[in-house]
Amino acid sequence: RAGYIFSQIEDASLIEIDTDTTNFASDFLVTNYVEKTRFSDFLFQPALAYRLKVGEATSLNFGATYEFSAKINTFRDETIRNQGNLESVVFGDTLLLNEKFTSKLPSKTGLGISISKFRTWVFGVDFYLQDWSKYQNFKGDNEGLTRSYDFILGGEFTPDFTDVNNYLKRVH
């Protein structure tokens, strides 16, 4: 499996300072600081699957996946703007514009097992592990992240796959 990851995160801070405390119609000075971070890159995840027949229509299925760690292209913009109370810009500056960095996503491992009866039912369990302590943001920090574990339990049932007269009997 291959995929393309893309996203944008925008953080904005706003500080309002009352410049005249003696007047009810006082003037305000507003400082607005905005950070925009954009991510984009490809991810790859090979997988293995094996089906073991344990009956005439019943199978035991095994699967494994591995998502490679990825260095993600990261682009940053930082701007600061001081405004008056009528939103007129008093001062503005671009601190970073389309500055390129790299963020690192950790690898992810998955294992699964299921049992199924052909065109009737499936029951399965999946387990995923991802060590987020190896994550690095654009500054090289991991932000205190730790390992994550996912346990997924699921199943499906089809009452009668061959019934062409009753749609509800063919629904999974």
Side-chain angles (χ1 to χ4, degrees):
R1 182 171 78 170
Y4 184 73
I5 185 172
F6 59 95
S7 179
Q8 178 174 302
I9 298 172
E10 183 173 322
D11 290 321
S13 301
L14 186 70
I15 300 171
E16 248 181 42
I17 300 171
D18 188 351
T19 59
D20 183 4
T21 58
T22 61
N23 187 345
F24 287 111
S26 62
D27 292 328
F28 284 94
L29 181 63
V30 177
T31 301
N32 190 0
Y33 176 72
V34 178
E35 297 176 319
K36 288 183 185 177
T37 308
R38 295 177 310 282
F39 305 93
S40 63
D41 221 325
F42 288 94
L43 296 176
F44 298 99
Q45 184 180 28
L48 295 172
Y50 180 74
R51 177 173 286 168
L52 177 66
K53 212 167 182 181
V54 292
E56 190 173 315
T58 307
S59 299
L60 195 56
N61 310 294
F62 302 93
T65 64
Y66 182 79
E67 188 174 295
F68 293 102
S69 64
K71 291 185 177 178
I72 305 296
N73 292 322
T74 307
F75 299 92
R76 299 262 305 161
D77 296 337
E78 292 181 22
T79 57
I80 191 166
R81 187 173 56 217
N82 289 336
Q83 298 170 219
N85 58 350
L86 298 176
E87 294 192 20
S88 60
V89 176
V90 177
F91 168 79
D93 198 2
T94 301
L95 306 174
L96 286 178
L97 181 61
N98 213 28
E99 192 78 20
K100 186 175 180 180
F101 297 92
T102 301
S103 299
K104 184 179 177 189
L105 295 178
S107 62
K108 183 177 184 180
T109 304
L111 298 171
I113 186 169
S114 68
I115 187 165
S116 62
K117 184 172 181 184
F118 184 66
R119 293 188 176 165
T120 306
W121 54 263
V122 169
F123 177 75
V125 177
D126 290 335
F127 171 75
Y128 293 95
L129 168 66
Q130 195 164 19
D131 188 0
W132 283 95
S133 67
K134 295 181 179 174
Y135 165 77
Q136 290 179 349
N137 65 14
F138 67 94
K139 296 177 187 175
D141 300 331
N142 86 332
E143 300 180 18
L145 301 175
T146 61
R147 288 185 178 180
S148 71
Y149 305 94
D150 292 326
F151 294 97
I152 302 168
L153 179 67
E156 93 180 24
F157 174 70
T158 309
D160 186 359
F161 182 77
T162 61
D163 190 343
V164 295
N165 296 319
N166 188 340
Y167 173 73
L168 293 178
K169 286 188 178 180
R170 292 179 294 155
V171 173
H172 300 288

